[in-house]
Amino acid sequence: YGQRLGLKGELSNRWTWLLGAVYAMGFLFQYMGQDMTSASDATLLSNLAPILIPFLSVLALRDRLTPVHMIASAVSFIGLYFVAGFNPSAAPLSMLGYALLLLTSLSYALFTVMGKKYGSAALGSSLAIILVITAILAPIAIAFGGFGTIPMIMPPSVWLAVLYLAIPCTLVAIIIYLRGLASVGASEAGFLLLLQIIVGLILSTAILGDMLEPYQTLGAALIMIGLLIGLIANRHTNRGSKAKQQ
């Protein structure tokens, strides 16, 4: 089955390892940085990838960045600021924590732009990238993740939670995301990533019973407005590019 997917060839591709390493470092930066800052700061700084992607796309993919794109990014950033808690100074200043969380967003943004540039939509390519991510993170988790304190026998509910995080939330999510990148531009994918924040807010309210503050509701609305502005701008830009080619 591995031969049919071309895993051996994909694993010998340097871009597979580079993409996997970039994504793995994003996980690592986020894990370390969120322990050094407040929850609101971590929420804001680790979710800046959608804001960074349009700008990186200009450098790496030669995409056009219009004033409308910049407005969409600004509106989305303000929305993120409100959703994060409207109080980034609640915790003592940690420049290292802030730097790590910014590197988190930069890593995820680079992953999107590089995935678009080098084409990783094939199933074999996606699985190879996931294997690389696992190969990088697993030894670090075993060495520094406190595995000695984890009981050898855990209840079925814990294993189900682990499987849920591993398969739908990681394996399937990355495969679908890379497949989707083949159909849309990197900037468009970046704006669509803002939906995960909206979905997170909806699920936290529906499942956990969390109540949103009025300014967080405003932030969610601003994110949706920025998302729609960005998507509309991308559509107009794409149509203009096609018209010029014809």
Side-chain angles (χ1 to χ4, degrees), residues 20-38:
V22 167
Y23 197 89
M25 294 309 295
F27 264 119
L28 190 60
F29 291 143
Q30 185 172 8
Y31 179 78
M32 295 187 298
Q34 66 189 8
D35 287 338
M36 301 180 187
T37 60
S38 68

PDB file of all heavy atoms in Angstrom, residues 20-38:
ATOM      1  N   GLY A  20       7.156  19.305   6.900  1.00  0.00           N
ATOM      2  CA  GLY A  20       6.903  18.638   8.177  1.00  0.00           C
ATOM      3  C   GLY A  20       7.611  19.319   9.332  1.00  0.00           C
ATOM      4  O   GLY A  20       7.055  19.486  10.417  1.00  0.00           O
ATOM      5  N   ALA A  21       8.859  19.750   9.079  1.00  0.00           N
ATOM      6  CA  ALA A  21       9.629  20.416  10.129  1.00  0.00           C
ATOM      7  C   ALA A  21       9.013  21.758  10.505  1.00  0.00           C
ATOM      8  O   ALA A  21       8.944  22.111  11.683  1.00  0.00           O
ATOM      9  CB  ALA A  21      11.077  20.603   9.665  1.00  0.00           C
ATOM     10  N   VAL A  22       8.557  22.509   9.501  1.00  0.00           N
ATOM     11  CA  VAL A  22       7.947  23.818   9.768  1.00  0.00           C
ATOM     12  C   VAL A  22       6.689  23.653  10.620  1.00  0.00           C
ATOM     13  O   VAL A  22       6.477  24.385  11.595  1.00  0.00           O
ATOM     14  CB  VAL A  22       7.619  24.535   8.438  1.00  0.00           C
ATOM     15  CG1 VAL A  22       6.708  25.727   8.677  1.00  0.00           C
ATOM     16  CG2 VAL A  22       8.904  24.991   7.767  1.00  0.00           C
ATOM     17  N   TYR A  23       5.846  22.679  10.267  1.00  0.00           N
ATOM     18  CA  TYR A  23       4.609  22.455  11.026  1.00  0.00           C
ATOM     19  C   TYR A  23       4.924  21.963  12.443  1.00  0.00           C
ATOM     20  O   TYR A  23       4.308  22.410  13.421  1.00  0.00           O
ATOM     21  CB  TYR A  23       3.734  21.436  10.306  1.00  0.00           C
ATOM     22  CG  TYR A  23       2.294  21.441  10.760  1.00  0.00           C
ATOM     23  CD1 TYR A  23       1.366  22.267  10.141  1.00  0.00           C
ATOM     24  CD2 TYR A  23       1.862  20.632  11.794  1.00  0.00           C
ATOM     25  CE1 TYR A  23       0.041  22.287  10.545  1.00  0.00           C
ATOM     26  CE2 TYR A  23       0.551  20.639  12.212  1.00  0.00           C
ATOM     27  CZ  TYR A  23      -0.359  21.458  11.575  1.00  0.00           C
ATOM     28  OH  TYR A  23      -1.666  21.479  11.982  1.00  0.00           O
ATOM     29  N   ALA A  24       5.884  21.052  12.563  1.00  0.00           N
ATOM     30  CA  ALA A  24       6.260  20.521  13.879  1.00  0.00           C
ATOM     31  C   ALA A  24       6.807  21.631  14.776  1.00  0.00           C
ATOM     32  O   ALA A  24       6.505  21.680  15.978  1.00  0.00           O
ATOM     33  CB  ALA A  24       7.295  19.411  13.715  1.00  0.00           C
ATOM     34  N   MET A  25       7.597  22.529  14.212  1.00  0.00           N
ATOM     35  CA  MET A  25       8.133  23.622  15.007  1.00  0.00           C
ATOM     36  C   MET A  25       7.019  24.546  15.479  1.00  0.00           C
ATOM     37  O   MET A  25       7.086  25.111  16.576  1.00  0.00           O
ATOM     38  CB  MET A  25       9.168  24.403  14.193  1.00  0.00           C
ATOM     39  CG  MET A  25      10.425  23.615  13.864  1.00  0.00           C
ATOM     40  SD  MET A  25      11.187  22.824  15.309  1.00  0.00           S
ATOM     41  CE  MET A  25      11.673  24.271  16.258  1.00  0.00           C
ATOM     42  N   GLY A  26       5.978  24.707  14.657  1.00  0.00           N
ATOM     43  CA  GLY A  26       4.834  25.496  15.093  1.00  0.00           C
ATOM     44  C   GLY A  26       4.193  24.911  16.339  1.00  0.00           C
ATOM     45  O   GLY A  26       3.875  25.626  17.291  1.00  0.00           O
ATOM     46  N   PHE A  27       4.012  23.588  16.344  1.00  0.00           N
ATOM     47  CA  PHE A  27       3.486  22.912  17.537  1.00  0.00           C
ATOM     48  C   PHE A  27       4.387  23.168  18.746  1.00  0.00           C
ATOM     49  O   PHE A  27       3.909  23.474  19.855  1.00  0.00           O
ATOM     50  CB  PHE A  27       3.422  21.396  17.292  1.00  0.00           C
ATOM     51  CG  PHE A  27       2.094  20.905  16.838  1.00  0.00           C
ATOM     52  CD1 PHE A  27       1.942  20.280  15.608  1.00  0.00           C
ATOM     53  CD2 PHE A  27       0.976  21.020  17.646  1.00  0.00           C
ATOM     54  CE1 PHE A  27       0.722  19.803  15.183  1.00  0.00           C
ATOM     55  CE2 PHE A  27      -0.251  20.549  17.226  1.00  0.00           C
ATOM     56  CZ  PHE A  27      -0.382  19.938  15.989  1.00  0.00           C
ATOM     57  N   LEU A  28       5.687  23.007  18.539  1.00  0.00           N
ATOM     58  CA  LEU A  28       6.645  23.130  19.635  1.00  0.00           C
ATOM     59  C   LEU A  28       6.685  24.554  20.174  1.00  0.00           C
ATOM     60  O   LEU A  28       6.666  24.773  21.399  1.00  0.00           O
ATOM     61  CB  LEU A  28       8.031  22.705  19.143  1.00  0.00           C
ATOM     62  CG  LEU A  28       9.120  22.537  20.205  1.00  0.00           C
ATOM     63  CD1 LEU A  28       8.716  21.483  21.214  1.00  0.00           C
ATOM     64  CD2 LEU A  28      10.435  22.137  19.535  1.00  0.00           C
ATOM     65  N   PHE A  29       6.733  25.542  19.284  1.00  0.00           N
ATOM     66  CA  PHE A  29       6.740  26.940  19.719  1.00  0.00           C
ATOM     67  C   PHE A  29       5.474  27.268  20.517  1.00  0.00           C
ATOM     68  O   PHE A  29       5.530  27.963  21.535  1.00  0.00           O
ATOM     69  CB  PHE A  29       6.844  27.867  18.507  1.00  0.00           C
ATOM     70  CG  PHE A  29       8.163  27.826  17.812  1.00  0.00           C
ATOM     71  CD1 PHE A  29       8.230  27.933  16.417  1.00  0.00           C
ATOM     72  CD2 PHE A  29       9.349  27.686  18.517  1.00  0.00           C
ATOM     73  CE1 PHE A  29       9.447  27.896  15.763  1.00  0.00           C
ATOM     74  CE2 PHE A  29      10.572  27.649  17.863  1.00  0.00           C
ATOM     75  CZ  PHE A  29      10.622  27.749  16.482  1.00  0.00           C
ATOM     76  N   GLN A  30       4.329  26.773  20.040  1.00  0.00           N
ATOM     77  CA  GLN A  30       3.075  27.061  20.728  1.00  0.00           C
ATOM     78  C   GLN A  30       3.044  26.425  22.116  1.00  0.00           C
ATOM     79  O   GLN A  30       2.596  27.043  23.092  1.00  0.00           O
ATOM     80  CB  GLN A  30       1.886  26.562  19.898  1.00  0.00           C
ATOM     81  CG  GLN A  30       0.529  26.934  20.472  1.00  0.00           C
ATOM     82  CD  GLN A  30      -0.605  26.595  19.526  1.00  0.00           C
ATOM     83  OE1 GLN A  30      -0.396  25.958  18.498  1.00  0.00           O
ATOM     84  NE2 GLN A  30      -1.801  27.020  19.854  1.00  0.00           N
ATOM     85  N   TYR A  31       3.508  25.191  22.216  1.00  0.00           N
ATOM     86  CA  TYR A  31       3.520  24.475  23.496  1.00  0.00           C
ATOM     87  C   TYR A  31       4.373  25.215  24.524  1.00  0.00           C
ATOM     88  O   TYR A  31       3.990  25.364  25.685  1.00  0.00           O
ATOM     89  CB  TYR A  31       4.051  23.058  23.289  1.00  0.00           C
ATOM     90  CG  TYR A  31       4.139  22.230  24.547  1.00  0.00           C
ATOM     91  CD1 TYR A  31       3.009  21.639  25.095  1.00  0.00           C
ATOM     92  CD2 TYR A  31       5.351  22.052  25.199  1.00  0.00           C
ATOM     93  CE1 TYR A  31       3.089  20.884  26.258  1.00  0.00           C
ATOM     94  CE2 TYR A  31       5.441  21.297  26.351  1.00  0.00           C
ATOM     95  CZ  TYR A  31       4.308  20.713  26.876  1.00  0.00           C
ATOM     96  OH  TYR A  31       4.395  19.976  28.039  1.00  0.00           O
ATOM     97  N   MET A  32       5.524  25.712  24.097  1.00  0.00           N
ATOM     98  CA  MET A  32       6.415  26.408  25.029  1.00  0.00           C
ATOM     99  C   MET A  32       5.925  27.825  25.321  1.00  0.00           C
ATOM    100  O   MET A  32       5.937  28.277  26.460  1.00  0.00           O
ATOM    101  CB  MET A  32       7.847  26.453  24.466  1.00  0.00           C
ATOM    102  CG  MET A  32       8.507  25.105  24.333  1.00  0.00           C
ATOM    103  SD  MET A  32      10.270  25.214  23.856  1.00  0.00           S
ATOM    104  CE  MET A  32      10.138  26.001  22.244  1.00  0.00           C
ATOM    105  N   GLY A  33       5.474  28.526  24.281  1.00  0.00           N
ATOM    106  CA  GLY A  33       5.104  29.924  24.449  1.00  0.00           C
ATOM    107  C   GLY A  33       3.862  30.142  25.279  1.00  0.00           C
ATOM    108  O   GLY A  33       3.765  31.117  26.030  1.00  0.00           O
ATOM    109  N   GLN A  34       2.877  29.222  25.182  1.00  0.00           N
ATOM    110  CA  GLN A  34       1.626  29.441  25.910  1.00  0.00           C
ATOM    111  C   GLN A  34       1.801  29.321  27.419  1.00  0.00           C
ATOM    112  O   GLN A  34       0.982  29.831  28.187  1.00  0.00           O
ATOM    113  CB  GLN A  34       0.560  28.472  25.415  1.00  0.00           C
ATOM    114  CG  GLN A  34       0.853  27.016  25.717  1.00  0.00           C
ATOM    115  CD  GLN A  34      -0.133  26.084  25.021  1.00  0.00           C
ATOM    116  OE1 GLN A  34      -0.945  26.521  24.204  1.00  0.00           O
ATOM    117  NE2 GLN A  34      -0.059  24.802  25.328  1.00  0.00           N
ATOM    118  N   ASP A  35       2.862  28.650  27.870  1.00  0.00           N
ATOM    119  CA  ASP A  35       3.133  28.546  29.302  1.00  0.00           C
ATOM    120  C   ASP A  35       3.832  29.782  29.854  1.00  0.00           C
ATOM    121  O   ASP A  35       3.985  29.911  31.070  1.00  0.00           O
ATOM    122  CB  ASP A  35       3.995  27.317  29.594  1.00  0.00           C
ATOM    123  CG  ASP A  35       3.219  26.014  29.457  1.00  0.00           C
ATOM    124  OD1 ASP A  35       1.978  26.066  29.559  1.00  0.00           O
ATOM    125  OD2 ASP A  35       3.846  24.966  29.228  1.00  0.00           O
ATOM    126  N   MET A  36       4.270  30.686  28.969  1.00  0.00           N
ATOM    127  CA  MET A  36       5.003  31.872  29.404  1.00  0.00           C
ATOM    128  C   MET A  36       4.172  33.143  29.321  1.00  0.00           C
ATOM    129  O   MET A  36       4.657  34.211  29.685  1.00  0.00           O
ATOM    130  CB  MET A  36       6.268  32.049  28.542  1.00  0.00           C
ATOM    131  CG  MET A  36       7.217  30.881  28.578  1.00  0.00           C
ATOM    132  SD  MET A  36       8.674  31.180  27.523  1.00  0.00           S
ATOM    133  CE  MET A  36       9.467  29.579  27.592  1.00  0.00           C
ATOM    134  N   THR A  37       2.946  33.031  28.822  1.00  0.00           N
ATOM    135  CA  THR A  37       2.100  34.214  28.647  1.00  0.00           C
ATOM    136  C   THR A  37       0.700  33.925  29.167  1.00  0.00           C
ATOM    137  O   THR A  37       0.381  32.796  29.540  1.00  0.00           O
ATOM    138  CB  THR A  37       2.010  34.613  27.153  1.00  0.00           C
ATOM    139  OG1 THR A  37       1.440  33.530  26.419  1.00  0.00           O
ATOM    140  CG2 THR A  37       3.376  34.936  26.591  1.00  0.00           C
ATOM    141  N   SER A  38      -0.129  34.949  29.173  1.00  0.00           N
ATOM    142  CA  SER A  38      -1.520  34.759  29.579  1.00  0.00           C
ATOM    143  C   SER A  38      -2.297  34.051  28.480  1.00  0.00           C
ATOM    144  O   SER A  38      -1.862  33.976  27.330  1.00  0.00           O
ATOM    145  CB  SER A  38      -2.160  36.120  29.862  1.00  0.00           C
ATOM    146  OG  SER A  38      -2.295  36.861  28.667  1.00  0.00           O
TER     147      SER A  38
END
